[in-house]
Amino acid sequence: VTSLDELLEANNGAPVQTAARETPSLVSFTARVGAPLAPLFRDEETLIAQGRMTALALGLQSYDVILNPYPLSGAAGLGLGLMPWLVSGATLVQHQPFEYGTYVRQLKEQEATIIAAPSPVLAALHDDGVFADPACHLRAAARVWSMPELAESRNFDCGKLPLFDVYPLGDLVSVVRNNSQPLT
């Protein structure tokens, strides 16, 4: 961990100008049945746009604590963890590999305010009373679906906890929508 205070003070808080990047910021690979391994090239603007979209949709603030159970090497981990953390200044807590009891403990001990998890995990958190627990500091939760057409919503009451639906599309992009908004 390196403090950025000196850089910010030396630059009086003004944006740092950098040369245009001629190479991709990220190269990942995707594999499909019956197709060769294919590289995916992502530039800074694409990655930052994904982070900003998620941060804006969830209303992320610098005081938020994101509990992310997804690997940072995939669409969900980058789109819901790494990039929103980088653009919002929130705290990112990683949870891998997934283990429900440890996840619940981290959610409470780390005072997570934002989580994203598959719908069955959120349903289990609801059924186990985690959302109603005074040790739970969540202010929003996101249900991650594999594909929009498979998003059969299970209605459960989370009290005042807003629910968002997240649809990872392709290999590095996801859409975050408030659950009260119909998908069109």
Side-chain angles (χ1 to χ4, degrees), residues 6 31 34-36 47 49-50 61 64 67 69 74 92 99 103 108 112 128 132 137 153-154 169 174 177 181:
E6 290 178 24
L47 294 171
Q50 178 66 55
Q61 302 293 321
D64 279 313
L67 178 57
L92 177 63
E99 196 283 314
Y103 186 75
K108 294 175 184 179
D128 293 342
H137 293 85
S153 181
R154 174 183 163 209
L169 307 170
S174 59
R177 296 181 57 87
Q181 298 170 329

Side-chain angles (χ1 to χ4, degrees), residues 2-151:
T2 303
S3 173
L4 298 177
D5 292 341
E6 290 178 24
L7 174 64
L8 294 173
E9 288 172 8
N11 209 23
N12 291 327
V16 176
Q17 298 299 319
T18 60
R21 186 181 293 268
E22 294 183 20
T23 58
S25 297
L26 174 73
V27 179
S28 60
F29 294 86
T30 186
R32 306 242 185 330
V33 176
L37 192 64
L40 300 169
F41 303 96
R42 306 292 185 209
D43 59 18
E44 286 178 23
E45 290 79 18
T46 302
L47 294 171
I48 290 171
Q50 178 66 55
R52 283 186 178 157
M53 187 272 303
T54 303
L56 288 171
L58 295 175
L60 286 179
Q61 302 293 321
S62 61
Y63 57 77
D64 279 313
V65 177
I66 304 165
L67 178 57
N68 177 39
Y70 295 97
L72 298 180
S73 57
L78 282 166
L80 299 170
L82 183 65
M83 296 315 300
W85 164 66
L86 287 174
V87 302
S88 70
T91 299
L92 177 63
V93 176
Q94 283 296 106
H95 172 84
Q96 296 167 350
F98 193 85
E99 196 283 314
Y100 182 76
T102 303
Y103 186 75
V104 172
R105 184 177 47 76
Q106 276 187 297
L107 187 148
K108 294 175 184 179
E109 288 178 1
Q110 300 296 323
E111 298 183 359
T113 58
I114 304 287
I115 60 170
S119 185
V121 172
L122 295 183
L125 292 170
H126 168 266
D127 293 346
D128 293 342
V130 174
F131 295 144
D133 188 322
C136 178
H137 293 85
L138 288 177
R139 64 173 197 79
R143 296 184 294 187
V144 180
W145 302 97
S146 59
M147 297 183 72
E149 63 270 15
L150 299 178

